[in-house]
Amino acid sequence: MNVTVVCEHNASMDSQEGKRAYPEGLGVCLQEMLREAGCAVTLVTIGENGADALTDEIIDGTDVMFWWGHWHHLKVSDEVVNKVADRALRGMGMVFLHSAHDSKIFKRLLGSSCSLKWREDGEHERLWCVDPTHPIARGLGESIDIPQEEMYGEPFDIPTPDELVYIGWFKGGEVFRGGCVFKRGAGKLFYFNPGHETYPTYKIPEVRQILRQACKYVEPAQPLKEKIFCPHIPEFSVKD
Ligand code: ZN
């Protein structure tokens, strides 16, 4: 499986806390996690220049795309968003992580503001599995503890998910639909809230297992469609 990890590099990642959480870089951590699962992984970094490095060749060769972004959402060109959205609707799988809820591409595919409540306080999050039969939760217990995370709370302005797998609970009392599957066109996408850049959430074995299983779950079930279109149905004629 060809996976592309699109990950932003921002100044918060260069802070002491950011470097302590991911000395190798958050994008590299995700890349290694997926390589361990046998995927061929291309890492594309979004920076001050936007997502220029996300070329047509990379997009066209991707089976599943992971997206982590925060500060530089608006620097991703509409042209790139159009190309990624087109491929997602033709069947490419997508996994949106943490603040990717506010990315142009996520909002395009969901069609809503995707706004939420938040508080950056390093609070304990407990992720409750609300669908133990779901392949993304396979082999995992009823809940997963994340010692420190950014609080994301409801209301989360998303369409009702096609499949809800995890609900996060925070020490401050808030709850959040933190593990959701949406089906769009011929493709599937998974949104997962944990993963603020200054907490080492993506080092937690259960979180890594969820993301590897999500990658497998959203993988295209069949070859990608050439294009999304409305087929013309020949006129119906009644024969005597
Ligand atoms: Zn964050």
Side-chain angles (χ1 to χ4, degrees), residues 98 150 152 196-197:
H98 189 58
E150 179 177 3
Y152 275 8
H196 185 68
E197 68 270 20

Side-chain angles (χ1 to χ4, degrees), residues 127-163:
L127 269 178
W128 288 99
C129 178
V130 291
D131 184 358
T133 68
H134 201 283
I136 291 178
R138 185 172 292 139
L140 292 159
E142 64 175 12
S143 70
I144 293 162
D145 282 305
I146 299 173
Q148 280 197 299
E149 193 42 81
E150 179 177 3
M151 188 284 288
Y152 275 8
E154 299 282 347
F156 183 19
D157 179 27
I158 50 171
T160 300
D162 292 300
E163 296 160 8

Side-chain angles (χ1 to χ4, degrees), residues 51-100:
D52 293 348
L54 188 55
T55 60
D56 290 0
E57 194 185 347
I58 294 172
I59 295 171
D60 293 343
T62 301
D63 298 313
V64 175
M65 186 176 286
F66 278 62
W67 197 286
W68 194 106
H70 187 194
W71 294 22
H72 300 312
H73 290 320
L74 297 180
K75 291 180 180 143
V76 177
S77 72
D78 291 339
E79 195 186 347
V80 165
V81 172
N82 289 342
K83 286 175 187 166
V84 173
D86 175 72
R87 190 164 174 86
L89 293 175
R90 288 190 290 117
M92 176 180 75
M94 294 202 73
V95 176
F96 290 90
L97 300 172
H98 189 58
S99 39

Side-chain angles (χ1 to χ4, degrees), residues 122-129 140-150 166-171 192-195 199-208 210:
E123 284 166 86
H124 168 209
E125 177 176 6
R126 180 166 291 162
L127 269 178
W128 288 99
C129 178
L140 292 159
E142 64 175 12
S143 70
I144 293 162
D145 282 305
I146 299 173
Q148 280 197 299
E149 193 42 81
E150 179 177 3
Y166 283 99
I167 290 179
W169 166 90
F170 292 84
K171 206 175 173 189
F192 189 63
N193 79 279
Y199 311 123
T201 298
Y202 298 130
K203 302 281 172 85
I204 298 172
E206 291 90 343
V207 168
R208 295 167 80 86
I210 287 173

